[in-house]
Amino acid sequence: MLRYIARRILIMIPTLLITSALIFTVMQLPPSDYFETYVAEMAAQGEKADMSRVEFLKKEYGFDKPLIERYFLWVTGFVQGDFGYSFEYEMPVSDVVGERLALTVLVSFCTILMTWVIAFPIGIYSATHQYSWGDYGLTFIGLIGIAVPHFLLALIFMYFANVWFGLSIGGLMDPIYFNQPMSWAKAQSILAHLWIPVLIIGAGGTGSMVRAIRANLLDELQKQYYITAKAKGLPPGKALVKYPLRMSLNFFVSHIGDVLPSIVSGSELTAVVLSLQTTGPLLLRALQSQDMYLAGSFLLFLSCLTVVGVLISDILLGFLDPRIRLQGGRTK
């Protein structure tokens, strides 16, 4: 196991280097950079940009240097914890992300927790009561959750909340707490607003997980080891939990590689519709304005989480399912 982990970590290094090079290359593809876009926007508004500051920032962050040198400066700074400078917000990237990252993790963690708590019992019930009225009803509700996009569901919630109750359900806190330090009153406001994005974002994920649990568990319930366990007198509940349920969790563990980056990135379109103070809208705005250090560092951070998540899922799969081996070999 230790050799396997060490080998995978060594593979992760060139993988992330190639990924970082691709991200940096894509960020350089537009014909203009942030400064040229900024100057053009100021001119369109009839204002004059501070060219001395623009030239200072260009020189300070190496825009007058070759691309290869700029790439290595960015990568080495990222490894040392320096994620660069956000030109649009005029502060370090770490300070820009700051509270938004914590709020994104909170929303995503609560969403994932709600999804698991609801999906597992429903998926198990649907699989053990196949083709019953309960199975049909829960499957129908799950399919609606999958079919309706998150952002459309958010718009529906906002419309009916406004029409029926005269309420605005956008945001993760009351406006008076924006850009304010964390306090007990601000925390209460966040908790009061939290359930709406959690419910909306979790709807589709819950439906998808219910379908996956049901399909995997139905496949395992037809296998001989489960039929033999019941034939030998093992109680149905114990036989279900000990054998087929455990084997049907492979998809759940392998999904960790996608869960980790989703915790940080959040649901971007839904966050924009609901005006959530999370990292999703921040990333979209950085891509639109060509704020390369903010967007590039964010994307590279998501890539790191993806690689780490895949490693964790592979290790857990080796422990969960004895049929899976970390290193293949010739069998006789």
Side-chain angles (χ1 to χ4, degrees):
M1 175 65 77
L2 293 177
R3 285 198 303 269
Y4 172 78
I5 295 175
R7 181 164 57 88
R8 286 293 300 271
I9 292 175
L10 291 176
I11 295 175
M12 287 167 56
I13 296 174
T15 301
L16 290 175
L17 284 175
I18 294 174
T19 302
S20 65
L22 290 175
I23 291 173
F24 188 83
T25 301
V26 171
M27 297 302 297
Q28 300 300 321
L29 287 179
S32 61
D33 56 24
Y34 170 79
F35 301 106
E36 295 179 8
T37 304
Y38 168 72
V39 171
E41 288 180 354
M42 295 298 290
Q45 296 173 8
E47 299 180 11
K48 187 177 181 180
D50 186 355
M51 297 306 299
S52 60
R53 179 172 176 77
V54 169
E55 293 300 326
F56 171 78
L57 288 174
K58 280 187 175 183
K59 186 176 181 180
E60 180 73 15
Y61 290 95
F63 279 76
D64 57 341
K65 297 178 181 178
L67 288 179
I68 296 297
E69 187 175 350
R70 288 170 56 191
Y71 164 72
F72 280 106
L73 287 174
W74 174 58
V75 170
T76 53
F78 187 91
V79 174
Q80 297 171 5
D82 179 11
F83 303 132
Y85 186 83
S86 173
F87 304 116
E88 182 172 6
Y89 294 92
E90 299 184 347
M91 62 177 65
V93 170
S94 56
D95 294 339
V96 174
V97 175
E99 184 180 283
R100 284 178 176 262
L101 181 59
L103 292 175
T104 305
V105 171
L106 176 63
V107 172
S108 300
F109 177 78
C110 292
T111 302
I112 293 171
L113 187 62
M114 185 203 75
T115 300
W116 292 349
V117 170
I118 296 176
F120 271 90
I122 294 178
I124 293 172
Y125 175 85
S126 295
T128 54
H129 298 77
Q130 188 181 18
Y131 303 137
S132 65
W133 284 107
D135 180 28
Y136 284 128
L138 294 171
T139 299
F140 177 73
I141 295 174
L143 290 175
I144 292 178
I146 297 172
V148 179
H150 295 163
F151 70 90
L152 179 59
L153 190 61
L155 290 173
I156 294 173
F157 265 69
M158 294 176 69
Y159 173 78
F160 285 107
N162 194 325
V163 171
W164 289 353
F165 304 105
L167 298 175
S168 175
I169 60 174
L172 269 177
M173 64 191 76
D174 294 326
I176 60 174
Y177 298 113
F178 290 171
N179 301 320
Q180 296 295 322
M182 183 58 66
S183 62
W184 175 242
K186 183 175 181 178
Q188 286 181 312
S189 179
I190 292 173
L191 293 177
H193 289 77
L194 183 63
W195 68 272
I196 297 171
V198 167
L199 182 63
I200 293 173
I201 299 173
T206 301
S208 300
M209 183 163 286
V210 167
R211 299 296 298 163
I213 294 173
R214 181 182 182 275
N216 283 273
L217 190 54
L218 280 174
D219 184 55
E220 296 295 330
L221 290 176
Q222 308 301 322
K223 295 185 177 179
Q224 288 297 321
Y225 69 86
Y226 177 65
I227 299 174
T228 302
K230 290 197 302 181
K232 289 185 175 182
L234 196 66
K238 186 176 182 179
L240 175 69
V241 174
K242 188 174 182 180
Y243 296 111
L245 182 59
R246 178 186 173 187
M247 296 298 102
S248 65
L249 292 181
N250 285 358
F251 88 95
F252 172 74
V253 174
S254 62
H255 187 58
I256 293 177
D258 298 326
V259 169
L260 283 183
S262 68
I263 288 177
V264 174
S265 63
S267 185
E268 291 84 359
L269 291 179
T270 306
V272 171
V273 171
L274 289 175
S275 301
L276 302 181
Q277 292 75 37
T278 56
T279 55
L282 191 69
L283 174 60
L284 292 177
R285 177 58 189 165
L287 293 172
Q288 291 173 346
S289 64
Q290 296 179 302
D291 195 351
M292 59 168 295
Y293 287 114
L294 177 57
S297 297
F298 200 90
L299 292 174
L300 184 56
F301 184 57
L302 293 180
S303 301
C304 294
L305 289 178
T306 302
V307 173
V308 172
V310 171
L311 174 61
I312 294 174
S313 65
D314 288 347
I315 294 173
L316 292 179
L317 281 172
F319 286 110
L320 178 66
D321 192 342
R323 298 172 298 182
I324 297 176
R325 290 294 176 264
L326 298 178
Q327 183 174 356
R330 182 176 298 178
T331 58
K332 294 182 180 180

